[in-house]
Amino acid sequence: MSHREAVDLAPMARGADEVRAMVDLVNQPFGDRPDKTAVLQLNLGEGLRKAMMSPWSDEQVEQAYANAYDLFQSGQYDAALPIALHLLINRPLDPRFMFMAGMILQLMGDPLLAATFFATQLTIDPSSIPAAFRLAECYAMIGETDEAHQI
């Protein structure tokens, strides 16, 4: 068994309900849940508060990220998204997790929600060229070409 396969994901089980709720929210159409972006942002803010109270160890974070990255690279977006969201809840200021969640959502066909993640990353790090590029792509995908060109 490889290092990445042997990762203990038990800490994820403690927050599985929160992640499952976020994934369910992400999968709802905007017509059914027009407030999903606001609710997701609220959940991420709550995750920041929880992360400050009981943070994961750096090793746990890196192991989970390696798993999520492998799943992402192999196109298993449905499996990678919950891990990316869980990492994001536990380390909301780590740009890798914000970017990964945005990329997965964009590739899963939700450019509007993906744009929220890329825009948030740009708020944290305004110099992030990859986030700016992906945000412009998302805007173009939803027909907001003027906004795409302004980025």
Side-chain angles (χ1 to χ4, degrees), residues 54-133:
S54 61
W56 275 13
S57 72
D58 290 342
E59 183 179 330
Q60 289 170 313
V61 167
E62 293 306 319
Q63 289 175 345
Y65 179 67
N67 282 348
Y69 189 81
D70 285 347
L71 291 166
F72 172 80
Q73 289 292 94
S74 65
Q76 298 177 55
Y77 306 128
D78 287 338
L81 183 60
I83 299 171
L85 292 173
H86 194 78
L87 288 164
L88 190 53
I89 287 171
N90 283 280
R91 297 279 175 98
L93 299 179
D94 189 317
R96 297 175 299 168
F97 311 143
M98 188 76 64
F99 189 78
M100 179 181 276
M103 283 292 303
I104 292 168
L105 289 166
Q106 184 181 9
L107 292 167
M108 290 177 75
D110 197 339
L112 188 58
L113 194 54
T116 301
F117 284 90
F118 298 132
T120 303
Q121 183 175 349
L122 285 170
T123 301
I124 295 167
D125 178 10
S127 66
S128 176
I129 302 294
F133 177 78

Side-chain angles (χ1 to χ4, degrees), residues 18-60:
E18 294 164 344
V19 172
R20 193 173 302 111
M22 288 177 72
V23 170
D24 289 344
L25 181 64
V26 164
N27 288 327
Q28 292 180 19
F30 272 101
D32 294 346
R33 190 69 194 261
D35 66 337
K36 79 177 188 176
T37 300
V39 172
L40 187 60
Q41 289 172 337
L42 180 67
N43 289 344
L44 292 174
E46 179 65 15
L48 179 58
R49 185 188 66 77
K50 289 179 182 178
M52 290 188 290
M53 292 177 9
S54 61
W56 275 13
S57 72
D58 290 342
E59 183 179 330
Q60 289 170 313

